[in-house]
Amino acid sequence: MRLLLCWFSGTGNSFAVARELAGRIEDAALMPVAKALRDGIPPAERVGIVFPVHGWGMPVIVANLLREMTVNPDTYVFTVATYGMNQGGPHREARSILRKRGRRLSAGWSIQMPEVYTPWFNPPLKEKQQLLFDCARDKIQYVASVVHDKAAGPVEDTFLPFALAGLTIHRMAASEFRHEDRKFRTLDSCTSCGLCERICPVENIRMVDGRPQWQHRCEQCLACLHWCPVEALQFGRRSEKRRRYHHPDVRPEDLAIRRSPPPDADSRTDDRT
Ligand SMILES: Cc1cc2nc3c(=O)[nH]c(=O)nc-3n(C[C@H](O)[C@H](O)[C@H](O)COP(=O)(O)O)c2cc1C
């Protein structure tokens, strides 16, 4: 296989980037990070990991994959982080994890996408979203050409002092992320459709008596909140006033790791359970 892209995504931004990148390179396959972590990754000439920036760093599950995945020393390994407002220092973190394992990070790109962290921000309106998608498309084209050539690329973290400060906060907070799901609550408008359970990328939600229950292994991606068709899920105090968002070209079936993709899904391999 020429390229394996492992993706982690809550609202679909990182998935959309991974899918577009895969579409630009022959013999590319997509694989959810949770599956890669569980089953291991197949051999590939290039391995890319695409994920959202969480708290100036990478999601915990992505760091775990980097710590555990087995790749040959000559594999071209790169990271692509999607972010909303500030890209933080996820690539530096990835490089340091790989270095400890005697492996090299060949490049780390950051791509700006709509911000989805509703406790602090409102996701942008459609017009601004479209501007971000247009810029992202150009950037993905450039990333694909560098990856195709297996060339050394940049490490696109934010300005060094901010990246280091962000990473310090990230490290202190990361161990608590999984328990933050205590802040979720369900409104009476919940229709028990179970989409939140199916869409959760780490299988952290169980429907009990028709209501979601969070199992305290949360990655805080907010997929459950943003994808709920009736906006019945809230996180903390501020989410009631915030818009919901998911990438307009991504469907729940693309992300739902518990279900096989539909037969008309992207013709490239998307190796799920
Ligand atoms: C818990 C959480 C923390 C986030 N932290 C940051 C951050 O530190 N900097 C940033 O620019 N965006 C941050 N974001 C925004 C996401 O990185 C961004 O919207 C991303 O594209 C979402 O991708 P996804 O749909 O693949 O999950 C955060 C989002 C979440 C849910």
Side-chain angles (χ1 to χ4, degrees), residues 40-165:
I41 59 173
E45 292 166 25
R46 301 160 183 78
V47 173
I49 306 175
V50 188
F51 56 86
V53 173
H54 278 182
W56 303 287
M58 62 175 74
V60 175
I61 191 172
V62 174
N64 288 342
L65 177 65
L66 283 164
R67 278 188 203 102
E68 292 183 24
M69 70 183 192
T70 309
V71 288
N72 293 328
D74 59 345
T75 305
Y76 181 90
V77 180
F78 65 96
T79 42
V80 179
T82 70
Y83 71 98
M85 297 286 182
N86 183 298
Q87 65 265 55
H91 308 297
R92 200 163 256 107
E93 193 184 357
R95 190 169 62 185
S96 138
I97 294 172
L98 288 171
R99 203 174 269 161
K100 282 184 195 141
R101 304 189 59 210
R103 297 289 180 270
R104 205 163 66 85
L105 184 76
S106 296
W109 286 283
S110 296
I111 300 185
Q112 192 174 21
M113 293 291 268
E115 172 64 65
V116 304
Y117 192 59
T118 46
W120 289 0
F121 306 103
N122 229 342
L125 294 168
K126 293 234 174 305
E127 210 170 292
K128 172 83 193 293
Q129 289 176 24
Q130 197 51 55
L131 286 176
L132 291 167
F133 298 149
D134 292 344
C135 292
R137 199 167 307 116
D138 293 345
K139 179 89 180 252
I140 293 165
Q141 167 84 53
Y142 154 74
V143 170
S145 67
V146 180
V147 169
H148 177 271
D149 296 344
K150 286 186 159 181
V155 168
E156 293 182 340
D157 285 332
T158 194
F159 179 53
L160 182 64
F162 292 130
L164 294 179

Side-chain angles (χ1 to χ4, degrees), residues 167-220:
L167 275 182
T168 307
I169 299 169
H170 176 80
R171 282 189 193 118
M172 289 191 303
S175 59
E176 287 307 309
F177 280 177
R178 63 204 323 257
H179 298 292
E180 288 279 299
D181 60 5
R182 294 206 171 90
K183 292 185 183 164
F184 283 110
R185 64 204 152 81
T186 311
L187 304 183
D188 289 343
S189 50
C190 170
T191 60
S192 310
C193 71
L195 179 58
C196 52
E197 184 187 41
R198 293 196 302 279
I199 205 115
C200 175
V202 289
E203 302 189 26
N204 184 42
I205 296 179
R206 249 185 243 151
M207 294 300 282
V208 178
D209 298 329
R211 289 285 182 274
Q213 271 191 8
W214 288 265
Q215 307 296 314
H216 313 313
R217 47 173 186 269
C218 186
E219 285 284 342
Q220 262 198 69

